[in-house]
Amino acid sequence: MSQDFRLDEEQSTEKRARLIGMQYIDTSQLNDKALYPEILSLDEMTGYRIIPIRADRSNILFGVTTSTSKQTMESLVQRFTDQKVSFAIISLSGYRDYYNLYNPPKKIIYDDIKLNVEDKTALFQKISSTLDTVRADDILAYLVQQAYELNASDIHLENQKEGLRIRFRVDGVLHPIAHLSFDKYRQVISAIAIAANVSTNEKQPQSGHISKTFSMATGEQVAVNLRVEVVPTAYGQDIVMRLFNTTQEMLSLDKLGLSPSERSVVDDIIRHPTGLVLIVGPTGSGKTTTLYSLINTLNTDERKILTLEDPIEFFIDGIVQIPVAGDDSPTSFANKLRAVLRLDPDVIMVGEIRDQDTAKTALQAALTGHLVMSTFHASTASAALTRMIDMVGINPLFASAIRLIMAQRLIRRLDDKTKIAYTPDDNMKAQLKKIIDTVPERYPKPDLSTLVLYKAGQSAENPFGYAGQMAIREQLQMTKGVRQILKLEPSQITTEVLEAKAIEDGMLTILQDGILKACAGITSLEEVYRVVG
């Protein structure tokens, strides 16, 4: 608890005492706190919200809170007839501090969450039991602390028929961590709602953000930086919390794992920062990290960079970041984008293109010498292009505005210490040949006759066989062939036609990129098919 909060509480309590004509005591200023456990039982102190503060043979002074009833005080006067009984108002925090002296809280020992233990059930039950006995703020801080340790990307709090399930997403896969009772979860969701500025009674989905440091009962300080998504479900409000554990130094193109050909395309955009760049993919595919890395690379004293974000996920020195959260207008991004164009920016990042108006405004900005970057929800780069056409229609300047559409997914890397080599059978080789034969000529292709693949192994330290994640990508550029496709009748412009032409002009698809990485032993075929389909 902050000193400012305690001071405010004491001043408020003192004012209340004056209004009702009672003595007031600031217990935080008492140096010698004697205890009198024989006067009242712990149950009475809890039930009556009353604490013996001073006592001798002739007098007893009780500390009471503003919620202590008059009947309780009268009954105590009648109970201790051999002594003069008096009362003083104390703050609720003062009451709690005093009560903890009479009944010291048991020392909480938090177990580290491990995903590689043999007896997962025992650890699951032990962590669940611990969480059911601690404060709501401590539960949140502990979960975040452990999620950071495990390099988890998300914390899922999911209401089920018998209670709440807690899961962490690590390397793209969910792992059960603990179970909470509904009573305890109500306390947790209240703590999250206060910190994230969302409502526990709202019937519509909500978004919030938590950026603060929690002080746990153990005295440990835990810095929390989360994006919070709340959605009402059949049994209550489910919450997904996305962890932001990236430093500005990590937002670098060198850390994105771009291949030489992919990096060459991105470097060309940085050298000539105009046009529209779209990063596409599903939730959790690393789109925002890619955008921030581009922004961080472009961030120089010679450029003015503006962002429109809902919410702002990471703060970068030297750029102007504008939140759009809280504006429910369907054209909120478009309206603010038009407004920021008057601020003479060189580079604009729009968190997400969601509607036709924003798409048109972004294209217009890209045509007037700005570099506009945004995310877009689509399964592939060619699907994103057809969706953009559906939104804004065919425009003579449309093709010249778009510089790059980059689609991506995150897949797990095989653990080199445990991966198991095997030779694919003829059926699998035939499957792979169909995909590899479509890979553009400029990419080296594996020799299927001597091909060795790898699958996930196991060890005591790593029972899953994977270690970390990497991106697989495809980059659709406005080649001459793609521009020719865009001149066709709208009914003839399909995702399949665009993708075929882009491959013919040298684009490597996400599936092809994944298959080549599996053939190189970096990941498994099973992982590629799990993510890409």
Side-chain angles (χ1 to χ4, degrees), residues 113-121 123 150-152 167-177 411-420 454-469 522-527 530:
I113 296 173
K114 298 182 184 300
L115 303 181
N116 57 356
V117 294
E118 290 187 11
D119 193 353
K120 293 181 181 178
T121 302
L123 182 61
L150 294 169
N151 289 318
R167 296 194 290 176
F168 286 178
R169 188 179 292 280
V170 180
D171 291 341
V173 178
L174 286 167
H175 299 272
I177 299 301
I411 60 172
R412 292 178 293 175
R413 288 177 175 270
L414 282 169
D415 185 349
D416 289 334
K417 297 177 182 177
T418 62
K419 66 183 182 181
I420 301 170
Y454 292 85
K455 59 184 177 181
Q458 285 186 320
S459 68
E461 294 77 21
N462 187 351
F464 308 108
Y466 293 95
Q469 289 180 289
I522 300 171
T523 189
S524 67
L525 277 181
E526 292 80 8
E527 177 67 3
R530 179 186 74 84

Side-chain angles (χ1 to χ4, degrees), residues 253 256-258 262 266 277-294 374-382 384 404-411 470-476 508-511 513 531-532:
L253 294 179
L256 291 182
L258 295 164
E262 291 168 343
V266 172
V277 173
L278 293 178
I279 312 297
V280 306
T283 301
S285 59
K287 299 188 300 296
T288 302
T289 300
T290 299
L291 267 187
Y292 274 129
S293 297
L294 281 164
S374 185
T375 64
F376 197 57
H377 279 279
S379 56
T380 64
S382 51
L404 172 68
I405 301 177
M406 184 160 66
Q408 61 183 55
R409 299 283 193 284
L410 293 179
I411 60 172
M470 65 183 302
I472 51 177
R473 297 182 173 92
E474 63 186 29
Q475 293 180 324
L476 192 155
L508 190 71
T509 69
I510 287 178
L511 177 59
D513 191 22
V531 173
V532 181

Side-chain angles (χ1 to χ4, degrees), residues 344-523:
D344 189 29
D346 298 295
V347 179
I348 305 166
M349 186 188 95
V350 180
E352 182 184 350
I353 290 180
R354 301 174 179 174
D355 56 79
Q356 182 186 60
D357 203 10
T358 306
K360 286 184 175 179
T361 307
L363 282 167
Q364 289 165 358
L367 285 166
T368 55
H370 303 88
L371 175 62
V372 182
M373 297 186 292
S374 185
T375 64
F376 197 57
H377 279 279
S379 56
T380 64
S382 51
L385 185 52
T386 52
R387 277 197 61 203
M388 285 290 288
I389 293 171
D390 291 339
M391 291 176 101
V392 303
I394 296 294
N395 186 297
L397 297 175
F398 178 74
S400 60
I402 296 179
R403 290 285 302 281
L404 172 68
I405 301 177
M406 184 160 66
Q408 61 183 55
R409 299 283 193 284
L410 293 179
I411 60 172
R412 292 178 293 175
R413 288 177 175 270
L414 282 169
D415 185 349
D416 289 334
K417 297 177 182 177
T418 62
K419 66 183 182 181
I420 301 170
Y422 69 97
T423 302
D425 59 26
D426 290 341
N427 286 334
M428 186 176 291
K429 285 182 180 180
Q431 280 185 22
L432 293 174
K433 186 176 187 303
K434 289 180 181 179
I435 298 169
I436 291 171
D437 282 350
T438 63
V439 171
E441 291 300 325
R442 63 193 180 100
Y443 293 97
K445 300 179 183 181
D447 183 352
L448 293 178
S449 64
T450 59
L451 181 65
V452 175
L453 296 175
Y454 292 85
K455 59 184 177 181
Q458 285 186 320
S459 68
E461 294 77 21
N462 187 351
F464 308 108
Y466 293 95
Q469 289 180 289
M470 65 183 302
I472 51 177
R473 297 182 173 92
E474 63 186 29
Q475 293 180 324
L476 192 155
Q477 295 175 274
M478 285 298 132
T479 61
K480 184 178 179 180
V482 172
R483 285 192 174 94
Q484 289 297 322
I485 296 293
L486 295 180
K487 293 178 181 179
L488 298 174
E489 291 294 322
S491 60
Q492 297 177 285
I493 304 174
T494 65
T495 297
E496 292 75 20
V497 169
L498 279 169
E499 182 168 277
K501 178 54 68 174
I503 293 172
E504 185 182 321
D505 288 351
M507 184 184 81
L508 190 71
T509 69
I510 287 178
L511 177 59
Q512 292 168 343
D513 191 22
I515 293 297
L516 291 179
K517 284 182 168 61
C519 291
I522 300 171
T523 189

